[in-house]
Amino acid sequence: ISTTNRVTIWVIVAFAAYELIAFNTPIPLEQTFAITGPLMPIIGTLVGLFPSCGPQIVYTELFLRGVVDLPGLVANGVSNDGDAIFPMLAIAPRAAMLSFFYTAIPAICSGYAVYWLTL
């Protein structure tokens, strides 16, 4: 139950934050992310480093809405550690932090590979 509640809260907060930002910003987020196209694999990787699957659900929803491009989604999927990182942070924090680099480097490489292939 606690895992379900945590994921639900992540998703609700993330969607609410997105909608509030999208509603109160004079420039549409689609245009903002279109300008930052070459940075999308890095942004996707950074979002993927958040523990839990809530941010990844929101990121995938942004992809389905056309806000985020495919290279960012690929990088996000590769760097996603999910809920498995929570026990690792509790038991071996140093190893958990090292695992972020182990997933971030292939995520950035795969994101930019897709970026260059889809140009």
Side-chain angles (χ1 to χ4, degrees):
I1 293 174
S2 67
T3 302
T4 303
N5 290 338
R6 185 176 58 242
V7 169
T8 303
I9 289 171
W10 263 110
V11 171
I12 290 171
V13 168
F15 273 120
Y18 168 75
E19 292 298 334
L20 287 172
I21 292 170
F23 183 72
N24 293 317
T25 306
I27 301 172
L29 287 177
E30 291 85 0
Q31 290 178 357
T32 304
F33 283 128
I35 294 169
T36 61
L39 297 177
M40 289 311 292
I42 294 172
I43 294 170
T45 299
L46 292 176
V47 171
L49 294 179
F50 284 107
S52 183
C53 60
Q56 280 61 309
I57 293 170
V58 173
Y59 204 83
T60 304
E61 178 67 28
L62 292 175
F63 172 75
L64 293 174
R65 290 184 183 189
V67 176
V68 175
D69 59 359
L70 182 62
L73 184 68
V74 168
N76 178 264
V78 172
S79 69
N80 181 12
D81 289 328
D83 291 327
I85 199 71
F86 285 122
M88 193 171 175
L89 282 168
I91 296 169
R94 186 168 186 242
M97 293 300 159
L98 189 60
S99 75
F100 287 141
F101 292 108
Y102 288 155
T103 58
I105 293 170
I108 291 172
C109 292
S110 61
Y112 278 111
V114 172
Y115 178 77
W116 292 113
L117 290 173
T118 58
L119 277 180

